[in-house]
Amino acid sequence: MRDSGTHSQDPPGEQVMKKIKGAPLRFPAAGGNGAIAAEKPAATSHVMALDRALVRRLLHTLDNPPINVILWNGEEQTGSQSAPVARVWIRDRKAFFKVLTRPDLHFGDLYSAGRIAVEGSLVQLMEIINRASRNSAHIGIIKKYLAHPLNRSRASAQGSSRDNIHHHYDLSNNFYKLWLDKEMQYTCAYFPDPDMTLEAAQLAKMDHVCRKVQLKPGDTVVEAGCGWGGLARHMARHFGVKVKAYNISHEQIVYARERANTEGLADRIEYIEDDYRNITGKYDAFVSVGMLEHVGLAHYGELGEVIHRSLTDVGRGLIHTIGRNRPGFMNAWTERRIFPGAHPPSLREMMDIFEPREFSVLDVENLRPHYAKTLEHWLERYEQHVDQVSSMFDQDFVRAWRLYLSASIAAFTTGSLQLFQITFARPLDTSVPWTRAHLYTDRG
Amino acid sequence: MRDSGTHSQDPPGEQVMKKIKGAPLRFPAAGGNGAIAAEKPAATSHVMALDRALVRRLLHTLDNPPINVILWNGEEQTGSQSAPVARVWIRDRKAFFKVLTRPDLHFGDLYSAGRIAVEGSLVQLMEIINRASRNSAHIGIIKKYLAHPLNRSRASAQGSSRDNIHHHYDLSNNFYKLWLDKEMQYTCAYFPDPDMTLEAAQLAKMDHVCRKVQLKPGDTVVEAGCGWGGLARHMARHFGVKVKAYNISHEQIVYARERANTEGLADRIEYIEDDYRNITGKYDAFVSVGMLEHVGLAHYGELGEVIHRSLTDVGRGLIHTIGRNRPGFMNAWTERRIFPGAHPPSLREMMDIFEPREFSVLDVENLRPHYAKTLEHWLERYEQHVDQVSSMFDQDFVRAWRLYLSASIAAFTTGSLQLFQITFARPLDTSVPWTRAHLYTDRG
C-alpha cells in the first residue's frame, strides 16, 4: 500500500482545474498563489547548469535520500546510492522554481496539477521531507514563518467556519463512502490489535470513547461535531443512552438522520444542524471527536464555557483531536486546499478549554500510530476505488486527495501530528474510576 | 482514621516553639507572620457580641457546615443542625482575629501552637473549608491574591532550593520511617485495588512507572530526585537495569547507598548527591517521581533541556508530580512551614518542559484519588506512632504534621490538588507501545 500510485504515465502539464462531473472541486479563493495549478506551464526548455546545481542542493538539503529527481528534459539525478523509494518528475522549470521557493504550499498544487509527478511511494517521499525539514537548518526559517503575524491570524479566522466545514464535509457523501468504514467514521480509529480491520477498529474506537466517559444506560450525552452520526448511533445502540448530536454540515446531518430512522434509533438520537455554541441543556457526558481541529484557538475558552454549562456536577467529558507536540500550523497546502481554517493544537493550547473552569484532566492518550494506520486503510481503499473517484471529480482532485492522505500518513509516522484523547471531569467529582483497567477488559 | 485526633484535652496557649529532643523544628525565617506561634496569647477575655457575630458570619461563609466553634470562654456555636464532624476550639481572641484575616496562613500556625484545637475529624474540617472556599464569593479575593506579583515570584524563588530540600527531607530518616512504607516512598502510591496495603501499593506504583517507560534488562536509567532510593532499587532488582539516581538531600543519599550496599545492588545503582541540572550521559529512560514540585516554574525549560540532552533517540521519560487543575499556589501555610519553595503546576505550566524540545506526550494519568488514599495510610501510621514522634519533636511539630497530612488528604479529595504522571518520548520515536494494555496485564 505504501507503493500506491505510479503516475509517470500521466501526461503532465495538461490538466487544468475543471469540473469533469459530479460535485465541483471547490478550492477556496486563494489570492495570488491560488492560480498556480491553472497557470500554463512554460514550454519545455533546456536544462541548465543552474537547474542541475539546484537539484543537487535540494537533495543535499534532504540529507541525500533515496529519491531520484527527473527534470523536464528527462535527465535524472539520484539522491543516494540506494534504490530510490520514489522518483519525482518535475515537468517544467517554472514548477521547479515555485517548489523551491515555497515547498509547503506549491508542492501540493503542482502535484495536483500534474506538473510534478511521483513514481513509487508518495508516503515515503513525504516522510523523508518531514524528517529533513525537522532536522535541517531550514527549521529556523520555518519557525520564523510560523511566527509571522499573518500566520498567527490563520487559526483564529473563524468568521467563515460554516464555509470551511461546508468546503470539506459537504463534498459528497458518496465520495466518503468509497473509502471510509461502514459507520462513516472520518476520525482516527483505535486498533487494540494492529492487524484488525478498519471496521473493527472504528467500532473499538467508539467503545474506547464510551468507556472513557463511563456511559451507562439512561445517561444523556451531548456530542459536539457528530460527523455522519456514527458515534451517536453506537452510543445509543450499545450503551443505552440518549444523545443530542450537533453538526453544521447539512449533508452529514441529513445522512445521520436517515440512518437513525432506518436503524430504529430515532427515538434515542436527536441530530441538530447547529453550531456547538448553541448547545442547550444538561448532560451526563460531553463528547467531541474530531471537531476541535476546526474550532480555532480564539474560541477554546468559549468551548470550555459550553462544556461547563452543559455538564452535570458528575458529568464526564472527552475531546478527541489531532494535535501537535508544540504550537504550530497545519501544512499550508493542506490548510488552504483541504481543510480551510483547521488548526491542530498543542496540549498547552488545549488547556485553554479546561483550566479556566478548573476541569480535572483525568487522562490524556496519544493515539498517533493509530491515525497513521487508519490513514493507510483509507488510502488503500481510496486507490481501490480511484476509478469511481475519477468518475466523480477531475484528475486534479484525484491527485490532491491522494497527496493529502499520503502526506497525512507521513505527518503521523514522523510525529509532525499527534492524536490526543483527553478525558476530564468536574474538580469535585469523586465518581471517577479508580484506575483505567476498565478500558482494557474484554466485554462479555 | 478520618476521626483521628481528639485534642480538646491539650492545654491551649501554653505550647511554645521549642526543641524537646531530636532534630529541631526548622521552620524557616518568615517575616512578620513567622512569629505568630510563639506570640503570647492574650489573657482570656470576655466574649463580646462582635465575636459572636463574627463566628456566625464565618459559619455562614462556610455554608453552615456540621462544625461547632467553641470560643475562649467555653461558649459553643453550632454550624448546622447535623451532628458536628468537628468542634473547633479557639483559645483566645487574638487567634480568632488572626485566622479571620488570613486563614490560609494563620490557621496552620495557630493550630500548631495549640491556640486553635480541633476535636473530631480534622480531615473533614479541611474538606469543608476547601469546598466552601471554592464556591464562596471569597474566590474573587483569593484569585486576586494569587495574581499578586509578590505571589507570582514565590514559585520561582529557587536560589535556595538546597535549603528548601534540606528543610523538609533532611528532618530525620527515623521520623519518616515511622509512617512511610518499607521502601520509603514519600510519593503517591498506586492502588489497583483500593483495599491493598500501602506496601503493596507502593510496589505497584513503582511497577506502573517502570512499565510506562517500558524498561527492559540492560537499559540505562537516570532518575532526577530519587528520595531514599526505593524506585532505583526496584528498577535494578526487578527490571535488570542500571540506574544513576540524583538527589541533593544528603541524609537521603546516605540512606539510599547503605540500602543498595546491604541489598547487593550497589553494582547496578549509582546514587549521586547533586542537582538534576548536573546530570551527564545518555540514558534509555528518564524518570522523576515527586521532584517537579520543587523545581520552580522558571526552571521548567532548563529541565526540558536536561531531559533532551540525557535521552537517547528512542529514550522514554516519565514525570510524576503533584499538580493543579489551573495555575495557582500551594496553600500558604504548607508552602511556608512544610514545603518551602514548592509549587504544584497545572498541565499547561508543565508543557514548558515538553513543548520547546517537541517531546511527544504519550500519556497523562491523573492519580488524584490514589494520593488521598496514600495520605490516609500515612496519617493512620503517623497517629499510631505519635508517641515516638513526640519523643523526637515538640508538640508544635507533632500538630503541624498532623495538620499537614490531614489537609493534604482534603486537598486531594476535594480536587484542589491533582497527581499527574506524564509519559513522553522523542517525536520521531516509533517504538512507543501500540496501546496501554500492557500496563494492565498481570505479570507472570
Side-chain angles (χ1 to χ4, degrees):
Chain A
M1 194 172 55
R2 288 262 176 134
D3 294 305
S4 59
T6 300
H7 312 300
S8 61
Q9 307 318 318
D10 293 354
E14 288 166 23
Q15 304 291 334
V16 290
M17 288 181 72
K18 62 182 180 188
K19 178 180 161 189
I20 296 187
K21 46 183 121 162
L25 179 55
R26 279 170 297 199
F27 281 0
N33 294 319
I36 195 169
E39 188 183 61
K40 202 163 166 54
T44 298
S45 57
H46 291 297
V47 167
M48 299 186 294
L50 174 66
D51 301 322
R52 286 184 202 105
L54 285 169
V55 172
R56 276 196 301 276
R57 175 82 185 268
L58 177 65
L59 289 167
H60 179 75
T61 303
L62 295 172
D63 300 326
N64 300 312
I67 292 174
N68 290 5
V69 175
I70 302 163
L71 293 179
W72 43 95
N73 69 345
E75 204 177 308
E76 183 160 357
Q77 286 202 36
T78 55
S80 78
Q81 303 288 42
S82 326
V85 298
R87 296 171 76 210
V88 180
W89 299 70
I90 299 171
R91 305 299 201 178
D92 63 272
R93 178 178 284 121
K94 265 197 184 170
F96 184 45
F97 278 83
K98 277 193 181 292
V99 88
L100 285 178
T101 52
R102 184 84 194 269
D104 58 330
L105 182 64
H106 294 329
F107 180 85
D109 280 344
L110 293 161
Y111 178 86
S112 303
R115 290 171 61 188
I116 289 179
V118 176
E119 185 186 340
S121 172
L122 189 52
V123 172
Q124 284 177 269
L125 173 66
M126 299 315 288
E127 288 177 339
I128 285 165
I129 292 171
N130 274 10
R131 288 205 188 90
S133 72
R134 184 192 300 282
N135 295 328
S136 79
H138 287 298
I139 208 160
I141 297 161
I142 292 167
K143 274 190 222 160
K144 259 192 204 158
Y145 164 71
L146 289 176
H148 193 281
L150 282 177
N151 281 297
R152 280 280 153 221
S153 71
R154 269 169 52 184
S156 54
Q158 287 295 306
S160 55
S161 68
R162 274 170 204 270
D163 289 346
N164 291 340
I165 293 302
H166 180 69
H167 170 78
H168 192 85
Y169 295 103
D170 287 348
L171 264 179
S172 159
N173 290 345
N174 288 329
F175 168 63
Y176 288 104
K177 273 182 205 165
L178 293 177
W179 49 278
L180 292 180
D181 68 303
K182 290 189 179 60
E183 291 302 324
M184 299 283 277
Q185 293 289 297
Y186 187 28
T187 50
C188 175
Y190 175 63
F191 295 80
D193 169 3
D195 295 325
M196 71 202 301
T197 64
L198 178 63
E199 320 296 322
Q202 289 293 8
L203 294 174
K205 185 265 300 289
M206 294 190 279
D207 268 344
H208 205 50
V209 167
C210 294
R211 291 178 183 199
K212 281 185 173 179
V213 292
Q214 299 169 262
L215 293 190
K216 56 184 191 309
D219 276 357
T220 55
V221 181
V222 65
E223 183 180 10
C226 67
W228 287 277
L231 177 59
R233 291 191 294 278
H234 189 85
M235 294 190 290
R237 182 182 285 125
H238 298 291
F239 289 81
V241 300
K242 287 209 165 195
V243 189
K244 279 200 188 178
Y246 286 71
N247 188 346
I248 55 175
S249 164
H250 179 69
E251 290 212 23
Q252 290 187 324
I253 284 282
V254 169
Y255 176 94
R257 284 185 188 140
E258 276 175 17
R259 281 198 61 166
N261 282 331
T262 313
E263 296 170 25
L265 297 166
D267 59 326
R268 276 169 279 168
I269 308 173
E270 188 181 347
Y271 289 108
I272 299 164
E273 189 181 335
D274 204 350
D275 193 288
Y276 69 92
R277 284 166 283 202
N278 299 324
I279 287 172
T280 53
K282 285 272 184 194
Y283 305 88
D284 301 303
F286 173 98
V287 296
S288 182
V289 175
M291 183 189 78
L292 190 68
E293 297 89 327
H294 305 293
V295 162
L297 280 180
H299 299 273
Y300 283 12
E302 206 175 350
L303 174 59
E305 288 301 312
V306 170
I307 299 169
H308 176 65
R309 71 163 194 260
S310 308
L311 273 188
T312 66
D313 285 348
V314 291
R316 295 81 60 197
L318 181 141
I319 290 179
H320 166 125
T321 185
I322 297 171
R324 297 178 67 103
N325 287 337
R326 68 168 159 200
F329 290 95
M330 189 73 98
N331 164 271
W333 177 78
T334 307
E335 199 270 339
R336 182 169 294 192
R337 302 299 184 207
I338 306 286
F339 271 121
H343 176 77
S346 77
L347 284 175
R348 181 192 184 88
E349 290 172 332
M350 287 187 75
M351 292 306 131
D352 283 354
I353 305 168
F354 306 113
E355 295 197 354
R357 281 295 180 180
E358 279 198 79
F359 285 109
S360 269
V361 171
L362 302 178
D363 183 6
V364 180
E365 182 173 20
N366 187 335
L367 293 173
R368 181 178 74 223
H370 297 255
Y371 217 156
K373 175 71 74 181
T374 304
L375 281 153
E376 285 169 7
H377 280 278
W378 288 345
L379 179 59
E380 185 176 9
R381 290 177 182 213
Y382 181 84
E383 297 295 357
Q384 282 165 359
H385 297 96
V386 74
D387 290 346
Q388 284 158 277
V389 179
S390 297
S391 72
M392 299 164 78
F393 303 99
D394 67 13
Q395 287 303 304
D396 294 65
F397 181 98
V398 171
R399 284 188 290 257
W401 275 73
R402 173 180 295 129
L403 176 62
Y404 155 58
L405 292 170
S406 303
S408 298
I409 293 173
F412 286 99
T413 55
T414 60
S416 300
L417 293 176
Q418 315 291 317
L419 192 289
F420 297 122
Q421 279 189 344
I422 301 196
T423 314
F424 55 94
R426 299 273 191 195
L428 283 170
D429 184 359
T430 53
S431 69
V432 297
W434 193 250
T435 74
R436 306 183 302 200
H438 66 103
L439 302 178
Y440 302 95
T441 25
D442 287 330
R443 280 162 187 284
Chain B
M1 195 171 55
R2 288 262 175 135
D3 294 305
S4 59
T6 300
H7 313 297
S8 62
Q9 307 319 317
D10 292 355
E14 289 168 21
Q15 303 292 333
V16 290
M17 287 181 73
K18 60 180 182 189
K19 178 180 160 188
I20 295 187
K21 45 181 121 159
L25 179 57
R26 279 169 297 199
F27 282 178
N33 293 319
I36 193 169
E39 187 182 62
K40 202 164 167 53
T44 298
S45 57
H46 291 297
V47 166
M48 299 186 294
L50 174 67
D51 301 323
R52 286 183 202 104
L54 284 170
V55 171
R56 278 196 299 276
R57 173 84 185 266
L58 177 66
L59 288 167
H60 179 75
T61 303
L62 295 173
D63 300 327
N64 299 311
I67 292 174
N68 290 5
V69 175
I70 303 162
L71 293 179
W72 44 96
N73 69 345
E75 203 177 308
E76 183 160 359
Q77 286 202 38
T78 55
S80 79
Q81 304 287 42
S82 326
V85 298
R87 296 171 76 210
V88 180
W89 300 69
I90 299 171
R91 306 298 200 178
D92 63 273
R93 179 179 284 120
K94 264 198 186 169
F96 184 46
F97 278 82
K98 277 193 181 291
V99 88
L100 286 178
T101 51
R102 182 84 195 270
D104 58 331
L105 182 66
H106 295 327
F107 179 85
D109 280 344
L110 293 160
Y111 177 87
S112 304
R115 291 172 59 187
I116 290 180
V118 176
E119 185 186 341
S121 172
L122 188 53
V123 171
Q124 284 177 267
L125 173 67
M126 299 315 288
E127 288 176 339
I128 285 166
I129 292 170
N130 273 11
R131 286 203 191 90
S133 71
R134 184 192 301 281
N135 295 326
S136 80
H138 287 298
I139 208 160
I141 296 161
I142 292 167
K143 274 190 222 160
K144 261 193 202 158
Y145 163 70
L146 290 175
H148 194 282
L150 283 176
N151 280 297
R152 281 279 154 222
S153 71
R154 269 169 53 184
S156 54
Q158 287 296 305
S160 55
S161 67
R162 274 169 204 270
D163 289 347
N164 291 340
I165 293 302
H166 181 69
H167 170 81
H168 192 87
Y169 295 103
D170 287 347
L171 264 179
S172 158
N173 291 343
N174 289 330
F175 169 64
Y176 289 104
K177 272 183 206 165
L178 292 177
W179 48 278
L180 292 179
D181 67 302
K182 291 189 178 59
E183 291 302 323
M184 299 284 276
Q185 293 290 296
Y186 187 29
T187 50
C188 175
Y190 175 65
F191 295 80
D193 170 2
D195 297 325
M196 70 201 301
T197 64
L198 178 63
E199 321 294 323
Q202 290 292 9
L203 293 175
K205 185 265 300 289
M206 294 189 279
D207 268 343
H208 206 48
V209 167
C210 293
R211 290 177 184 200
K212 281 185 172 178
V213 293
Q214 300 169 262
L215 294 190
K216 56 184 192 308
D219 276 356
T220 55
V221 182
V222 65
E223 184 181 10
C226 67
W228 288 278
L231 178 58
R233 291 191 294 277
H234 189 85
M235 293 190 289
R237 182 182 285 125
H238 298 291
F239 290 81
V241 300
K242 288 210 164 192
V243 189
K244 279 200 188 178
Y246 286 72
N247 189 346
I248 56 175
S249 163
H250 179 70
E251 292 212 23
Q252 290 187 324
I253 284 282
V254 168
Y255 176 95
R257 283 185 189 141
E258 275 174 19
R259 280 198 62 167
N261 281 330
T262 312
E263 297 169 26
L265 296 166
D267 58 328
R268 276 168 280 169
I269 308 173
E270 189 181 346
Y271 289 108
I272 300 164
E273 188 180 336
D274 205 348
D275 193 287
Y276 68 92
R277 286 167 281 204
N278 298 324
I279 287 173
T280 53
K282 285 272 184 193
Y283 305 87
D284 300 303
F286 173 98
V287 296
S288 181
V289 175
M291 181 188 80
L292 191 68
E293 297 89 328
H294 306 293
V295 162
L297 281 181
H299 299 273
Y300 283 13
E302 206 175 348
L303 173 59
E305 288 300 313
V306 169
I307 298 170
H308 176 66
R309 70 162 194 258
S310 308
L311 272 189
T312 65
D313 285 347
V314 292
R316 294 82 61 196
L318 182 141
I319 291 179
H320 165 124
T321 185
I322 296 171
R324 296 179 68 103
N325 288 336
R326 68 169 160 201
F329 291 95
M330 191 72 97
N331 163 271
W333 177 77
T334 308
E335 200 270 338
R336 183 167 295 190
R337 301 300 183 209
I338 306 286
F339 271 120
H343 175 76
S346 77
L347 284 176
R348 182 192 182 87
E349 290 172 331
M350 286 186 75
M351 291 306 130
D352 283 354
I353 305 168
F354 306 113
E355 294 197 353
R357 282 295 181 179
E358 278 197 81
F359 285 109
S360 270
V361 171
L362 303 178
D363 183 5
V364 180
E365 183 173 20
N366 188 334
L367 293 173
R368 180 178 76 221
H370 297 255
Y371 216 157
K373 175 73 72 181
T374 303
L375 281 152
E376 284 168 9
H377 280 279
W378 290 344
L379 179 59
E380 186 176 9
R381 292 177 181 211
Y382 181 83
E383 297 295 356
Q384 283 165 358
H385 296 96
V386 74
D387 290 347
Q388 283 158 279
V389 179
S390 297
S391 73
M392 298 164 81
F393 302 100
D394 67 14
Q395 287 304 304
D396 295 64
F397 181 97
V398 171
R399 284 189 291 257
W401 274 73
R402 173 180 294 127
L403 176 62
Y404 155 58
L405 292 170
S406 304
S408 298
I409 293 174
F412 285 101
T413 56
T414 60
S416 301
L417 294 177
Q418 315 291 317
L419 192 289
F420 297 122
Q421 279 190 345
I422 301 195
T423 314
F424 55 94
R426 299 274 191 193
L428 283 169
D429 184 0
T430 53
S431 68
V432 297
W434 194 250
T435 74
R436 305 182 302 199
H438 66 103
L439 302 177
Y440 301 95
T441 25
D442 287 331
R443 278 160 188 284

